[in-house]
């Protein structure tokens, strides 16, 4: 026992700690934040199950290393390059979504003042909120299915191109006519940008989230699917039950009341910034800016 204690003492005496500078502390903090964000990202996406599968494979390789299984180790060694490519392909949707979320962080706009000389205005008007709520619950009463995608920061042009372009002012009467049974535009989703309906009969990606209830149909899975790959808000009216639901950020809230739907829409309506700088890149006139005859 004394020999062990003396060995530990001699080790501690000869132990020399490296000098820690301010930049080292900054690096540790940055790495800690990145690791923490990575763990949250893995936990909140399908990457969690994929990562568990990868850990199982690594465990088998570690067992092969312990028992000196040369054939398995040779296969693993020569498959590293292919494995990296396979990982990038498998995680492509999650990586794309993570980069999109990173681009939406306020940190970027804080460091790079792209939003200088801008004034605030609503994403859409209160009248549009009222029209959407009225139409959704009117359709719910008669069990008319509807799928309404409200665009936010990410443009939905690629999905709008799959449907029929409208560019019409949003009204409850128009929504009721679009989703009426046996009409040319009732099948598929509509895309709303601001106070206007951009397109109808649009195709949306279906969610493969296994946690969604089996009672939900294709319309709900499409609503969740578009919310997984974009920052849009999707309103779903069930054709079977007449319930109104909303999907956002991959999550689904079922059976909303008119007041709850209004609250969700008002959050999405939050003030957005519009450039008023004389040196803006976009050459169009700003809202309320009059055309000069000079």
């Amino acid at each position: 026992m004394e020999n062990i204690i003396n060995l530990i003492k001699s080790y501690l005496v000869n132990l020399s700690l490296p000098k820690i500078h301010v930049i080292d502390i900054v690096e540790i903090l940055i790495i800690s934040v990145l690791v923490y964000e990575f763990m949250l990202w893995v936990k909140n996406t399908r990457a969690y199950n994929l990562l568990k599968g990868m850990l199982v494979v690594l465990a088998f390789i570690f067992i092969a290393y312990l028992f000196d299984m040369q054939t398995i180790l040779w296969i693993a060694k020569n498959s590293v390059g292919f494995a990296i490519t396979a990982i990038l392909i498998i995680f492509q949707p999650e990586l794309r979504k993570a980069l999109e979320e990173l681009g939406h962080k306020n940190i970027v706009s804080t460091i790079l003042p792209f939003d200088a000389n801008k004034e605030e205005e609503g994403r859409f008007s209160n009248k549009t909120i009222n029209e959407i709520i009225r139409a959704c619950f009117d359709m719910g009463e008669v069990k008319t299915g509807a799928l309404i995608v409200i665009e936010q920061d990410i443009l939905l042009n690629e999905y709008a191109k799959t449907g029929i372009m409208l560019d019409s002012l949003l009204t409850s009467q128009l929504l009721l006519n679009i989703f009426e049974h046996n009409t040319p535009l009732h099948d598929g989703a509509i895309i709303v940008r601001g106070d206007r309906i951009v397109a109808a009969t649009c195709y949306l990606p279906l969610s493969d989230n296994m946690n969604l209830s089996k009672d939900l149909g294709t319309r709900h899975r499409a609503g969740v699917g578009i919310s997984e790959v974009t920052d849009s808000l999707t309103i779903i009216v069930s054709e079977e039950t007449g319930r109104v639901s909303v999907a956002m950020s991959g999550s689904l809230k079922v059976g909303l009341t008119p007041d709850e739907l209004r609250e969700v829409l008002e959050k999405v309506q939050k003030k957005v910034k519009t450039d008023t700088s004389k040196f803006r890149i976009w050459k169009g006139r700003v809202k309320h800016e009059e055309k000069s005859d000079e």
Side-chain angles (χ1 to χ4, degrees):
M1 186 67 180
E2 292 182 359
N3 293 333
I4 296 175
I5 294 174
N6 292 330
L7 180 63
I8 294 174
K9 286 182 178 180
S10 62
Y11 176 77
L12 293 175
V13 170
N14 296 325
L15 182 65
S16 59
L17 296 175
K19 294 181 180 180
I20 299 178
H21 302 283
V22 176
I23 191 66
D24 298 322
I25 297 175
V26 173
E27 282 184 314
I28 292 172
L29 291 175
I30 292 175
I31 293 173
S32 301
V33 171
L34 291 176
V35 171
Y36 176 74
E37 292 291 337
F38 175 77
M39 292 173 65
L40 285 180
W41 170 70
V42 169
K43 182 180 179 181
N44 296 327
T45 63
R46 293 173 298 172
Y48 181 64
N49 292 327
L50 295 174
L51 186 61
K52 288 194 294 185
M54 292 173 57
L55 291 176
V56 172
V57 174
L58 291 176
F60 278 115
I61 295 175
F62 180 71
I63 293 172
Y65 174 77
L66 291 178
F67 291 97
D68 197 23
M69 300 178 181
Q70 294 297 327
T71 304
I72 295 178
L73 293 176
W74 181 85
I75 294 174
K77 181 179 179 181
N78 289 274
S79 301
V80 173
F82 299 103
I84 294 175
T85 304
I87 289 172
L88 292 176
I89 294 174
I90 293 172
F91 286 95
Q92 185 270 336
E94 284 76 17
L95 291 172
R96 177 179 176 179
K97 185 175 181 180
L99 292 175
E100 288 176 348
E101 291 178 354
L102 181 62
H104 291 144
K105 295 290 185 181
N106 292 331
I107 299 174
V108 177
S109 59
T110 302
I111 298 175
L112 301 176
F114 292 136
D115 297 332
N117 299 322
K118 291 188 175 183
E119 63 180 10
E120 292 187 344
E121 63 176 9
R123 194 183 299 276
F124 44 79
S125 66
N126 292 329
K127 183 177 183 297
T128 296
I129 293 179
N130 295 331
E131 297 291 328
I132 291 175
I133 294 174
R134 184 183 300 114
C136 287
F137 286 92
D138 285 348
M139 289 186 288
E141 288 182 1
V142 295
K143 295 185 178 181
T144 298
L147 192 54
I148 303 170
V149 183
I150 300 176
E151 182 184 84
Q152 295 198 68
D153 294 331
I154 298 177
L155 295 178
L156 303 178
N157 291 335
E158 59 179 301
Y159 302 103
K161 290 178 181 178
T162 64
I164 299 174
M165 304 304 292
L166 295 181
D167 190 23
S168 305
L169 182 66
L170 189 151
T171 63
S172 58
Q173 293 86 352
L174 179 56
L175 290 176
L176 293 172
N177 285 327
I178 288 176
F179 291 110
E180 181 65 30
H181 293 290
N182 301 321
T183 57
L185 301 179
H186 85 282
D187 192 20
I190 69 166
I191 294 177
V192 177
R193 177 180 298 154
D195 296 319
R196 305 186 71 82
I197 299 175
V198 178
T201 69
C202 301
Y203 293 99
L204 305 180
L206 298 180
S207 173
D208 54 3
N209 185 352
M210 301 302 295
N211 295 323
L212 290 177
S213 173
K214 302 300 181 182
D215 296 331
L216 300 177
T218 305
R219 185 175 285 109
H220 288 82
R221 287 198 170 271
V224 176
I226 188 68
S227 72
E228 289 175 342
V229 296
T230 68
D231 63 347
S232 61
L233 169 70
T234 305
I235 304 173
I236 308 108
V237 181
S238 174
E239 189 172 354
E240 289 75 22
T241 64
R243 293 185 302 182
V244 177
S245 308
V246 294
M248 191 172 182
S249 301
S251 62
L252 181 69
K253 293 182 180 179
V254 182
L256 272 69
T257 64
D259 290 336
E260 290 173 336
L261 180 57
R262 181 180 300 277
E263 183 179 353
V264 173
L265 288 171
E266 286 177 349
K267 287 181 180 178
V268 175
Q269 186 198 23
K270 64 182 180 180
K271 300 297 184 179
V272 294
K273 293 182 177 181
T274 304
D275 193 359
T276 58
S277 172
K278 294 181 180 179
F279 302 100
R280 60 185 181 276
I281 297 176
W282 179 253
K283 296 181 181 180
R285 297 193 303 278
V286 180
K287 186 178 181 181
H288 306 311
E289 180 182 346
E290 296 181 358
K291 183 178 180 180
S292 173
D293 294 328
E294 295 180 0

